[in-house]
Amino acid sequence: AWSLIFVSEIGDKTFFIAGLLAMKTSRLISFAGSMGALSVMTVISVLIGQIFHAIPPGVTNGLPLDDYAAVAAFLFFGVKTLKEAIETPDEDFSGMDEERAEAEEAVAKTDTQQQGMVASILSTFGLVFAAELGDRSFLSTIALSAAANPVSVAFGAISAHAVATGIAVAGGAL
C-alpha cells in the first residue's frame, strides 16, 4: 500500500495543491489541511473496499467479488494511465504538467490569506478532498482494501500520503 500510494501521489494534483498552498500560506496549514483530507479519503476508500469484501458469497453465487473489484480497479487505473500517456503530445507538456496546471487553477480560486488558521485549514481540506475523490490513489486503496488487511492498507496509504505531502509542502515552502 505504501509504495503504490507514494508513487501515485508524487506529481499528482493533490501533491501540487499542497505545494502551491504552502507557497501561499504556512507549511502547517497546508500540511494539516491536506493530510486531514487525505486521511479521511483513505478511510472512506478502505471502508468501500471492505464493503466489497463483506458481501456474502451466497449473494454473489460464490464469485469472489472483492477480488474482481480489485482487478477491475487496477485494470481501470492501468488503462486510464496508458490512455493519458498515448493522448499526451510528445512535446514538453507532460501529464505532470497538466496536473500542475489543474492544481494552479484550483488554488487560484481559493483565498486563504484573508482567513484565520482554522478557516484556512478547512479550505485546504475541502480543496484537497475534492481533488482526491476518484483519484488513482483512491481507487487503488479501494482495491487493496478489498483484497488485503484493511488496517495495514490504511496505515500504509496514510503514511505514504504523509511523506509525499511533506515533500510537496517542503518544496512549496522553499
Side-chain angles (χ1 to χ4, degrees):
W2 194 94
S3 59
L4 180 65
I5 299 305
F6 181 76
V7 168
S8 71
E9 280 303 306
I10 296 294
D12 195 14
K13 185 159 66 168
T14 54
F15 177 84
F16 287 119
I17 287 173
L20 292 167
L21 286 173
M23 290 167 49
K24 284 178 79 171
T25 64
S26 76
R27 293 176 291 226
L28 175 66
I29 289 171
S30 178
F31 187 79
S34 297
M35 278 310 301
L38 293 168
S39 297
V40 168
M41 190 60 70
T42 298
V43 169
I44 290 170
S45 60
V46 166
L47 291 174
I48 292 170
Q50 285 301 291
I51 289 170
F52 280 113
H53 184 71
I55 295 174
V59 173
T60 62
N61 293 327
L63 293 174
L65 190 59
D66 54 345
D67 293 337
Y68 287 143
V71 169
F74 285 122
L75 183 63
F76 173 77
F77 171 62
V79 169
K80 183 179 175 188
T81 302
L82 288 173
K83 183 179 179 224
E84 289 172 359
I86 291 169
E87 291 175 352
T88 301
D90 291 337
E91 302 164 6
D92 293 336
F93 194 73
S94 70
M96 195 177 293
D97 292 332
E98 185 177 329
E99 294 282 340
R100 182 177 179 196
E102 289 176 15
E104 287 173 345
E105 183 180 320
V107 169
K109 293 178 184 176
T110 62
D111 181 25
T112 54
Q113 294 183 351
Q114 301 298 326
Q115 302 173 357
M117 185 168 146
V118 172
S120 293
I121 290 173
L122 291 175
S123 177
T124 301
F125 179 97
L127 187 61
V128 172
F129 190 87
E132 187 67 15
L133 192 62
D135 197 14
R136 287 180 217 128
S137 57
F138 179 74
L139 296 174
S140 299
T141 307
I142 291 172
L144 286 172
S145 175
N149 181 329
V151 175
S152 298
V153 170
F155 178 76
I158 291 171
S159 62
H161 280 300
V163 172
T165 302
I167 292 169
V169 167
L174 290 175

